Amino acid sequence: MIILTMLAALAVVMLLAFMRASIWSWLLAMIVFVPVLAIQSQLSADVFQVVIIALVVVVAVLGIPTLRRLLVSRIILKVFRNILPQISQTEQEALDAGTVWWDGDLFSGQPNWNKLLSYPKAVLSAKEQAFLDNETEQLCAMLDDWDITHVRQDLPPQVWQFIKDKGFFGMIFPQVYGGLQFSALAHSAVVAKLASRSATAAVTVMVPNSLGPAELLLHYGTPQQKEKYLRRLAQGKEVPCFALTGPFAGSDAGAIPDYGIVCHGEFNGQTNVLGIRLNWEKRYITLSPVATLLGLAFKLHDPDHLLSAESERGITLALIPTDTPGVQVGRRHFPLNSAFQNGPTQGKDVFVPMEYIIGGPEYIGQGWRMLMECLAAGRSISLPASATGASKMAARTCGAYSRVRKQFRLPIGKFEGVEEALARIGGNVYMMDAARTLTTVALDMGEKPSVISAIVKYHCTDRARLIINDAMDVHGGKGICMGPSNYLARGYQQTPIGITVEGANILTRSMIIFGQGAIRSHPYVLKEIQAAHDPDAKRAVHTFDAALFAHISFSLSNAVRAWLFGLTGGHGIPVPDGAATQRYYQQLTRYAAAFALAADVAMLVLGGTLKRREKISARLGDVLSLLYMCSATLKRFEDDGRPDSDLPLLHWSMQDALHKIQTAFDGVLQNFPSRFAALILRALIFPIGRCLAPPSDELGHQVAALLMQPGATRNRLTSGMYVPGNESDAVGALEAALLSTLNCEPLQAKVEAARKAGKVNALDELARIAEAGEHGAINAQETQMLERDYILRRKVIMVDDFAPEELRSVG
């Protein structure tokens, strides 16, 4: 009988877990089952009496809100305040910035997949598509990356003018200011296409449309500032840059030493003007060498209290024409042979009036908040788009080269070692583009997903590095010899730039994704922290009590769900229909519950020290990131119409990510400081061990084959990149060579058969083709096809060489 009672209790617990029951429901279950179990255990009367008294006390204390707040929540709140880590002002403003979107569902442990699939499909407007097909295509055709990066170290003048004239600098500007007013999706698509052709052009276009003067003016500028600058910026009559990073303040932007002193001075012939005397030294500022308008972040001081009684006014932003006396721009950095304009800027005793503050005096001291709110949008677009565009180019060229290039009479793409690299390239590009697209959908819905922006920035740039490394390996000597024929090497050189900027990837992974997500995206943690900082003691206890006990119920629910899903492998979880995708939704739901549980345990056990446990935080961040990347991949497959031919790409990317989630969890458990907590977590998350395997060799073979075969799947995978139609172009020649190779292989077999029959004896390939034609083994048209095929293959395989004097300026 006692076993049946325990089973019934277990069933009720599971039901409560799945219902996300309140604390009262859990207490009610205790009231019902504890006495029954006590009776059936045949306890003595005294012991039974103690059990019942203890139960009554627990239920009364936890179930009566007034008692609970007095005896439990007030005490826990006091302890919580003591262990809560110190949060700097800049950290707090970063936490407050942006919105919570799909990351909130993932942190809940119970993602609503139907909600995800109901989000709009990413579709460009007719105007946006026309711009991509015409102006952007024309710009790509004007770009010669070897000329840009080796000869000029800059874009040609006609390219600069085209960019300005066609509105590339004004993609995000409203039409009322002369801008294109494009969606985030269109902005991303333009940058991605340009990046598939030239990183220099992509960076030049994306910076004025990303975090900088334009976006800051749009959100915070005064009417006078908007009227003065936005139209000129949109038309390219002003070239903007934004200066934040300096020699002594990189990732720790709160430590910037650049300062401004409120004072009176002379400006434009007027005396006694109230303004700011600025001093700064900045570096790594893109477009600074050619900028006409400088956005500047600095700390404002008011020692004479000309504005208020407060002396230290905080980080403030100003917009300064670069021809202002004392402003220094023009010198350049040379980041990894990139030709985009990037350099330092300094200012010595530069006096500007108060109206130069972005937003006017009311925005004094709010600079960091302004930057963080804009960063969520800018970081979601520029770097994910540029990384994905470059990766698509690598995927398309690797597939073609692997089919055209032969060794041992076999295309190199059919060697299993090369297949492994091609599979990684294809699977990663498929997932990157899915994440890039879904994130722009969020932006176009009005979201500013700060945590997700960090996820896509990190994963797209990091995967781009893996892709370009694999692409270089596949190309071998072709990839390492610089010159006009090399379409990979500059990307290989420049990949670390995207890894480094807008939040270095090491910092993003180890501190930002989970560190920020645990507070912003968790359903209760931010409420608990806000209560801890509330100066109203009564209100603080009420708020904390409600959040704490909802949090406890939430954690109990996820513990039970994680354990049950671990036992069943997620089978039986209700998810959207789809034979190919059902198990993926179930496995993601399982791991979302496990992640929510692990996050709560980590915060409970480690407390304030979790901030310094960066390796634990990084691995938990990996789980959250991969849950998002997988969500985007499934959404992409649905929006594409579930094409069967894309299944190898879907399966490879999902299986690879799920296996990495499993590995990240294992890393957390192996290294968790509390071994007892780690054992409990392992029993709940992996009750029957780790069961997921990485993608199989056969699946990798299928992905590699898709990259080497022209068709709808290859085109979908690399859609939006620039594909030259000119055979004089290295990439255009490769595209032509791929088609020619597939068409001519049967003809080459005829020539080989003639050679074996003794009809063809020439040693040179072109001579063999001619001889085969003369002997009738192939007809005249086939002879021409084979001769063209040889020329194309040779052009694709050959590398550049130079006279010694030509190499003197090679960088």
Side-chain angles (χ1 to χ4, degrees), residues 455-664:
I455 290 172
V456 292
K457 185 273 173 181
Y458 170 76
H459 273 273
C460 286
T461 56
D462 194 65
R463 287 170 188 251
R465 173 163 55 184
L466 299 176
I467 287 168
I468 194 63
N469 284 344
D470 277 333
M472 291 291 285
D473 287 349
V474 169
H475 280 71
K478 170 74 175 177
I480 63 173
C481 290
M482 300 290 293
S485 301
N486 193 323
Y487 38 79
L488 290 176
R490 287 302 191 208
Y492 176 76
Q493 287 181 314
Q494 296 162 11
T495 292
I497 298 171
I499 299 287
T500 302
V501 300
E502 291 192 17
N505 277 12
I506 288 179
L507 174 71
T508 300
R509 176 177 178 261
S510 62
M511 296 179 68
I512 295 178
I513 293 175
F514 180 75
Q516 191 172 351
I519 297 175
R520 288 289 288 131
S521 307
H522 193 286
Y524 302 109
V525 169
L526 184 58
K527 296 174 184 176
E528 292 163 344
I529 292 175
Q530 289 171 338
H533 289 122
D534 191 339
D536 186 319
K538 185 177 180 179
R539 184 176 60 203
V541 172
H542 274 75
T543 305
F544 185 77
D545 174 78
L548 174 64
F549 282 90
H551 192 165
I552 291 171
S553 299
F554 169 82
S555 299
L556 289 171
S557 173
N558 282 322
V560 175
R561 293 172 68 249
W563 176 72
L564 182 62
F565 294 163
L567 282 177
T568 64
H571 285 283
I573 300 173
V575 294
D577 293 332
T581 57
Q582 183 180 35
R583 286 294 295 136
Y584 295 137
Y585 286 116
Q586 291 174 336
Q587 288 164 335
L588 290 176
T589 302
R590 169 201 172 179
Y591 281 123
F595 169 73
L597 171 65
D600 277 340
V601 171
M603 287 186 281
L604 174 66
V605 173
L606 301 179
T609 65
L610 180 57
K611 186 176 179 180
R612 297 188 298 275
R613 299 280 186 176
E614 295 174 24
K615 296 175 186 176
I616 297 293
S617 179
R619 295 184 183 104
L620 289 170
D622 289 342
V623 176
L624 175 62
S625 297
L626 291 166
L627 288 171
Y628 179 73
M629 300 293 285
C630 287
S631 302
T633 303
L634 291 172
K635 167 73 169 162
R636 171 189 180 152
F637 184 71
E638 294 290 341
D639 287 349
D640 285 348
R642 302 182 180 182
D644 287 342
S645 59
D646 287 7
L647 282 174
L649 292 165
L650 172 74
H651 291 318
W652 194 97
S653 58
M654 291 298 297
Q655 291 173 24
D656 176 69
L658 284 165
H659 181 258
K660 287 177 177 174
I661 288 175
Q662 178 180 260
T663 302

Side-chain angles (χ1 to χ4, degrees), residues 282-284 288 328-333 342-346:
K282 305 287 191 178
R283 63 179 182 179
Y284 310 150
S288 167
Q328 298 177 39
V329 294
R331 293 188 64 80
R332 294 181 62 177
H333 299 310
N342 181 277
T345 173
Q346 298 87 28

Side-chain angles (χ1 to χ4, degrees), residues 711-760:
T713 297
R714 181 171 180 259
N715 289 339
R716 269 192 300 272
L717 181 66
T718 59
S719 65
M721 68 165 280
Y722 176 66
V723 182
N726 186 350
E727 292 179 12
S728 63
D729 181 277
V731 176
L734 182 55
E735 283 289 301
L738 173 61
L739 296 175
S740 177
T741 293
L742 295 173
N743 290 331
C744 288
E745 281 181 347
L747 307 183
Q748 291 171 343
K750 290 182 180 182
V751 175
E752 178 62 17
R755 186 191 68 79
K756 289 181 178 179
K759 297 179 180 179
V760 173

